[in-house]
Amino acid sequence: MTGLPPALSLYRLASGLAAPLAPALLSSRAAKGKEDESRIGERLGHASLPRPDGSLVWIHGASVGESRVALTLAAALIEARPGLNVLLTSGTITSAALVGREAPPGVIHQYVPADTPKAARRFAAHWKPDVAAFVESELWPNLIVETARSGARLALVNARMNAASLRRWQRWQRSGKALVSLFDWISPADGRTARGLGHLLGRALPVAGNLKLEILPPMPSNDKLDAARTIVNGRSIWVAASTHAGEEEIVLDAHQHLLARHRDALLILVPRHPDRADAIAALLDQRQLEFARRSLREAPRQDVPVWLADTLGEMALWFELAPAALIAGSLKPGIGGHNPIEATRLGCAAISGPWRDSFSDIYDAYEAHGAVTTVQDAGGLAEAVRRNWAGEGEGVAAGQTALEALTGNVLETTTRRLLSLLDTPSEAR
């Protein structure tokens, strides 16, 4: 590896100087429920498990969405190469819980280390990955540099970067090029990312396609689905999926519009981060809206208008129950939206706000096929839900058509390329 650009070297110096603050910061986050206190050592690069013998592929997915891609990819790699060791890392408690529940045999989970030179070096020295695959938009300079220096082959898988991230790297073009050039293979999920990273590298990058489109959602058991259907008992239902702070107010305004005409209306409110449930409960109390809380195993009576679904791993259940869902993260700028694919796969019509930059290619296809209703405010949201209840909204069939136009054999291609990297090890850089 040649010398790094000054800006990247300065980042490494500054993050190294700040490293002594990391334990206190992580402890503070643990006290707020944002870190697993028993595994803070992993965040400092201290492994809690031994490295298994043999080849090892490391896949990093920051949070739940990326971790689900990582799990699918891990299963495909192990199926194609039985006995292969796969290390999955993630950065959130919710993603760790997902991996713990769904990881196939042969998969190890660790928390990703903080992006300081020593923590990254310690991590790479212990695990000695033969191939390291970073899922979507994770470009942590120290982790990438130290992994490359360890001799691992690097892949940026299902690369998806929003416009702001790409602009930031364009401003630091030399550093961005130096960092991205360390990847032996890059698979852009969309055209924007392909163009942005291609501009950094000075060469064209083909769009590989989005792995998330090929991932089947985890299905609820028949018993769980039957129990939920008994609870809702034919009511007019809609879902607000993966809401963020500032969006619940809009959602509740829309629901109160609906309640004025549909007294049996039930909103299933699913926050993106369940640890915000207390704040949402306070908002519901303030509005004098009675609610049942899923995490407390409460079920809504027929006259209770809101079911606060503050649990993890049940989104498929809610999409199965409801005919329409707001795909949130899109009602306020700065979040970037969330993926509508799971709703479509489960027969639930998609409604979205206008702010969905992170999934622009998918929504462009949805718009082209009339598969999404885009709303601007609470009134529009209420009307979109009402139209779907009446069978007048953008149909599920249109969503399936859009999905067919978007999908390919991305998982097979990605699996083959990673195994090819595994079979052609590089010299330490």
Side-chain angles (χ1 to χ4, degrees), residues 238-241 243 247 249-255 257-258 324-333 337 349-356 363 366-367 371-388 392-394:
W238 67 292
V239 176
T243 60
E247 293 190 305
E249 290 85 350
I250 301 171
V251 167
L252 294 179
D253 283 346
H255 193 53
H257 283 310
L258 290 166
L326 166 72
I327 310 301
S330 58
L331 293 174
K332 291 283 186 180
I351 303 167
S352 172
W355 310 97
R356 61 229 185 167
Y363 278 104
Y366 271 50
E367 291 280 5
V372 62
T373 303
T374 302
V375 301
Q376 304 292 329
D377 53 27
L381 177 55
E383 178 60 15
V385 172
R386 187 203 63 75
R387 290 182 67 239
N388 272 283
E392 301 168 358
E394 278 67 6

Side-chain angles (χ1 to χ4, degrees), residues 168-191:
R168 184 167 61 251
W169 285 113
Q170 294 296 343
R171 286 198 298 271
W172 301 95
Q173 187 158 2
R174 286 186 61 197
S175 294
K177 181 177 182 179
L179 206 58
V180 175
S181 295
L182 294 177
F183 289 98
D184 298 281
W185 182 58
I186 298 173
S187 61
D190 55 42

Side-chain angles (χ1 to χ4, degrees), residues 397-412:
Q400 299 292 347
T401 302
L403 200 54
E404 289 171 10
L406 285 162
T407 52
N409 60 345
V410 188
L411 179 59
E412 179 185 345

Side-chain angles (χ1 to χ4, degrees), residues 165-289:
S165 293
L166 289 169
R167 283 194 300 270
R168 184 167 61 251
W169 285 113
Q170 294 296 343
R171 286 198 298 271
W172 301 95
Q173 187 158 2
R174 286 186 61 197
S175 294
K177 181 177 182 179
L179 206 58
V180 175
S181 295
L182 294 177
F183 289 98
D184 298 281
W185 182 58
I186 298 173
S187 61
D190 55 42
R192 178 185 58 213
T193 303
R195 291 187 295 273
L197 293 181
H199 182 72
L200 273 180
L201 291 168
R203 59 183 173 86
L205 286 176
V207 177
N210 193 334
L211 261 174
K212 282 185 174 177
L213 304 185
E214 297 186 24
I215 297 174
L216 293 176
M219 298 300 293
S221 68
N222 288 335
D223 287 347
K224 182 181 280 191
L225 186 56
D226 288 344
R229 282 175 174 155
T230 299
I231 290 168
V232 301
N233 194 26
R235 295 174 65 180
S236 301
I237 311 166
W238 67 292
V239 176
S242 295
T243 60
H244 292 252
E247 293 190 305
E248 286 89 11
E249 290 85 350
I250 301 171
V251 167
L252 294 179
D253 283 346
H255 193 53
Q256 288 178 305
H257 283 310
L258 290 166
L259 286 168
R261 295 176 60 183
H262 302 268
R263 296 184 62 184
D264 72 331
L266 176 65
L267 163 65
I268 301 175
L269 178 53
V270 191
R272 178 69 171 180
H273 303 290
D275 59 4
R276 294 186 52 250
D278 287 345
I280 298 169
L283 179 62
L284 287 161
D285 285 335
Q286 179 184 332
R287 292 191 175 221
Q288 298 182 324
L289 282 170

